Amino acid sequence: MPLPAVLRRPAWLTTLAMGFVILWLIIAAFPFAWTVWGSFKVQTDFFSRDSWWNAITGPMTTRTTGGPFTTDGYYGAWVTTEFWRAALNTLIVTVCVTSISLSFGTLGGYALARSTHRYRFWILVAALFFRAMPEVTLVSGYLFPFFALNIWGHLPTAIIVLVALNQPFTLWMMYSFFQGIPRDLDESALVDGCNRFQAFRLAIMPVMWPGVITTGLFSFLLAYNDFTVTGLVLSKDNQTMVPKIASYLGTIQDEGAIMFAVAAVVSITIPIFLLVMFFQRYLVSGLTAGAVKG
């Protein structure tokens, strides 16, 4: 059934809106598309001072490698400089940080959301204040005990600090999600014979999965993209991917190091893109659930 003429959108407005969306997509996608394209060129083409068109046609790439495209940057990053070790370290850190933060954040958020005591407000304020502090300030406080205990440079040190930084965020997120779930669910489960933990596990958590996935995704991204913490508390042998890329940029005198960094940037961005696309349905529903109470 066609819409009434009053409710129809003018053709010019539809065209304008579509044009704006297309323009925004081009502007947003261009930097990544340009980086992906340039990762298959040699440094003298991608960073050519003669003409930016060299990054498109790749004359030096063709002259050097025999073709307009090359995977030397990826080979140099992943094989020559063993970027796979940094990728493995990142996987360990992000999985541990996300798991620990979600476990404590979910239990703490539920307890605070159902609590009627006044200290609930002060706990949330303290968590917010802790999260608002600069990361460098917090990390500097950990360095001395890490050096004293001789545990600086290892992956558990980064996990400890990242969990401490991430916990206030997960606590607030989960608290807001639990606030949006009616207490009737808890009371119904208790009436049916469940204890408090069983009510939480069997009645509340099935409803909370979109919120858990949303919070977990943001926690994962925080640990995955972190540079300040991992750059300060991890040794060179235990670097994660972001500090490893920064180390390429610090060795510009080495032939091809810049292209190693470009290839590594593309490599770490694609998994995040796929992860967000896979969980985007839960992400949208989780954010919507967190904005509605009752």
Side-chain angles (χ1 to χ4, degrees):
M1 182 178 178
L3 292 173
V6 178
L7 300 179
R8 292 176 186 171
R9 182 181 299 173
W12 68 267
L13 183 59
T14 303
T15 304
L16 181 63
M18 289 298 297
F20 176 79
V21 171
I22 293 173
L23 178 62
W24 179 85
L25 288 175
I26 293 174
I27 294 175
F30 175 77
F32 180 67
W34 182 259
T35 304
V36 172
W37 181 272
S39 66
F40 295 100
K41 304 294 182 180
V42 297
Q43 180 175 336
T44 50
D45 278 337
F46 191 48
F47 295 96
S48 175
R49 296 184 179 182
D50 298 329
S51 173
W52 62 269
W53 189 251
N54 290 343
I56 303 291
T57 58
M60 287 301 300
T61 304
T62 303
R63 188 179 307 171
T64 304
T65 64
F69 300 100
T70 178
T71 58
D72 289 349
Y74 292 92
Y75 183 86
W78 286 92
V79 179
T80 305
T81 62
E82 297 184 333
F83 189 73
W84 62 270
R85 294 183 182 274
L88 180 61
N89 292 335
T90 301
L91 179 63
I92 296 172
V93 170
T94 51
V95 170
C96 291
V97 169
T98 304
S99 302
I100 297 172
S101 298
L102 273 184
S103 299
F104 286 101
T106 301
L107 294 173
Y110 176 72
L112 291 174
R114 296 297 185 258
S115 175
T116 57
H117 297 284
R118 292 184 177 180
Y119 61 74
R120 176 184 68 174
F121 169 78
W122 295 108
I123 291 176
L124 291 171
V125 170
L128 184 63
F129 175 77
F130 187 83
R131 185 65 185 90
M133 295 179 63
E135 290 186 356
V136 175
T137 303
L138 298 174
V139 174
S140 61
Y142 286 99
L143 291 179
F144 178 75
F146 285 160
F147 283 126
L149 296 172
N150 198 28
I151 59 174
W152 179 90
H154 302 288
L155 294 181
T157 61
I159 294 172
I160 291 172
V161 180
L162 287 173
V163 168
L165 291 172
N166 196 32
Q167 200 61 72
F169 169 78
T170 56
L171 187 65
W172 266 97
M173 286 285 288
M174 299 307 296
Y175 169 78
S176 66
F177 285 128
F178 282 121
Q179 282 285 86
I181 296 179
R183 294 175 181 265
D184 297 344
L185 285 178
D186 307 64
E187 296 170 358
S188 298
L190 294 175
V191 170
D192 290 338
C194 295
N195 57 36
R196 177 63 70 176
F197 182 74
Q198 288 174 330
F200 167 77
R201 182 171 61 88
L202 299 176
I204 303 301
M205 283 308 298
V207 184
M208 273 294 297
W209 277 118
V212 172
I213 293 175
T214 302
T215 306
L217 183 59
F218 281 108
S219 301
F220 184 90
L221 292 176
L222 181 143
Y224 190 86
N225 296 321
D226 180 81
F227 174 74
T228 304
V229 175
T230 53
L232 289 175
V233 304
L234 291 179
S235 63
K236 183 178 180 180
D237 295 334
N238 292 323
Q239 282 181 329
T240 53
M241 291 191 292
V242 176
K244 183 70 172 180
I245 293 174
S247 70
Y248 293 144
L249 300 177
T251 56
I252 57 176
Q253 69 274 12
D254 295 342
E255 182 66 26
I258 296 296
M259 297 314 298
F260 296 169
V262 174
V265 166
V266 175
S267 300
I268 71 172
T269 305
I270 291 177
I272 291 298
F273 176 78
L274 297 177
L275 185 68
V276 172
M277 291 298 295
F278 181 79
F279 287 111
Q280 59 89 17
R281 179 167 61 92
Y282 299 98
L283 181 64
V284 173
S285 60
L287 292 175
T288 304
V292 180
K293 182 178 181 181

